[in-house]
Amino acid sequence: MIIQRVVLNSRPGKNGVPVAENFRLEQSTIADKVQAGQVRVKTLYLSVDPYMRCRMNEDTGSDYLQPWQLSEVADGGGIGVVEESKHDNFAKGDFVTSFNWPWQTVAILDGSLLQKLVPQLVNGRLSYFLGAAGITGLTALLGIREKGHVAAGANQTMVVSGAAGACGSLAGQIGRLEGCSRVVGIAGTDEKCSILVQEMGFDAAINYKKGDVAKQLRELCPGGVDVYFDNVGGDISDTVISQMNQNSHIILCGQISQYNKDVPYPPPLPPDIEKIQKERNITRERFLVLNYMDKQEASVLQLCQWIQEGKLKVR
């Protein structure tokens, strides 16, 4: 059977910015017959995520991420429909997902690596299982629950950087659902800021490309910052950390401003910011959602319930 697939064509270099030419679309073939324990699937959705920038390097910098190989098919979170099955758990027409889905139109996969999906849980919006009800939503929910120390009634203020992104937009809403009394987002356009406030229920949003971010933060978070959901790192994070309270918490989700640079993860803070962090006893531990897979099932059901109830808005 002839298929199309996307392979890694070249590496951008540890300090390089990725370009389209780093990938190549090509025709290939797969076996016509499915073996025992295998499933043939047609690809419906693929998730392209920030962590994949690290997989473009020869060394990903982390023990849990394998690098993509040159001229080999890329892979990541994906969803498809079963066309033929020789695995007891799956039948033709089932919707399935995997975290190691190849970027190709049709694939033959080991059935033991697949999970069956129930479309009704997300009102039929299958792609949500790669976003709000998938790893993205789990990262937001478990990050807040495991590292945010949010307590209902404690009058906490949360700031989210990269707040209009897939994870950040959910994190702000979940922070509110978990008990934060004030949620402020940081994003890069007026339109994004408007969506955060008008659609996602943030109290306020700052366009970091306009005006003085530190000044706006002081005005919007007069009691300081108790929880910081950090997606970006760099100057923005330094500004937020400088306004965090004693015994506050950073949820270290991502550092996207640093991903095209050859720096350790998490990137070290500038000395003056590190001094603030230590003096105020601010926690800043790396957070990896894969470490909490024992809580995955219950957490996905919680996310689906919020989506069904309209409490979690998804774009």
Side-chain angles (χ1 to χ4, degrees), residues 133-192:
I135 288 286
T136 314
L138 285 171
T139 301
L141 177 59
L142 290 169
I144 288 166
R145 287 187 171 173
E146 299 296 327
K147 299 292 184 185
H149 302 273
V150 172
N155 198 30
Q156 290 163 300
T157 293
M158 173 189 273
V159 170
V160 183
S161 58
C167 194
S169 62
L170 297 169
Q173 296 178 77
I174 291 168
R176 167 87 76 223
L177 289 165
E178 291 287 286
C180 286
S181 59
R182 186 160 184 77
V183 179
V184 175
I186 302 174
T189 70
D190 288 344
E191 184 192 7
K192 289 177 181 178

Side-chain angles (χ1 to χ4, degrees), residues 177-254:
L177 289 165
E178 291 287 286
C180 286
S181 59
R182 186 160 184 77
V183 179
V184 175
I186 302 174
T189 70
D190 288 344
E191 184 192 7
K192 289 177 181 178
C193 290
S194 171
I195 288 166
L196 290 174
V197 175
Q198 292 175 16
E199 292 183 28
M200 307 284 187
F202 284 62
D203 291 285
I206 296 168
N207 180 350
Y208 70 86
K209 293 177 182 174
K210 283 186 173 179
D212 184 333
V213 174
K215 179 170 178 283
Q216 291 177 77
L217 262 181
R218 279 192 295 275
E219 290 168 358
L220 294 171
C221 308
V225 178
D226 302 295
V227 186
Y228 173 39
F229 199 99
D230 185 5
N231 285 307
V232 304
D235 294 344
I236 294 291
S237 290
D238 296 345
T239 302
V240 176
I241 293 167
S242 67
Q243 297 192 32
M244 293 186 74
N245 293 325
Q246 195 74 27
N247 303 319
S248 53
H249 304 282
I250 298 167
I251 302 164
L252 197 58
C253 176

Side-chain angles (χ1 to χ4, degrees), residues 293-312:
M293 284 295 101
D294 57 317
K295 299 182 179 178
Q296 177 184 359
E297 196 174 335
S299 300
V300 167
L301 288 173
Q302 174 65 86
L303 292 163
C304 290
Q305 184 184 334
W306 281 336
I307 290 165
Q308 288 175 336
E309 292 172 349
K311 291 179 179 175
L312 205 53

Side-chain angles (χ1 to χ4, degrees), residues 21 29 39 58 91 105 150-151 202 215 223 225 243 261 283 309:
E21 289 71 30
T29 57
V39 177
E58 207 159 351
T105 48
V150 172
F202 284 62
K215 179 170 178 283
V225 178
Q243 297 192 32
K261 302 173 187 173
T283 63
E309 292 172 349

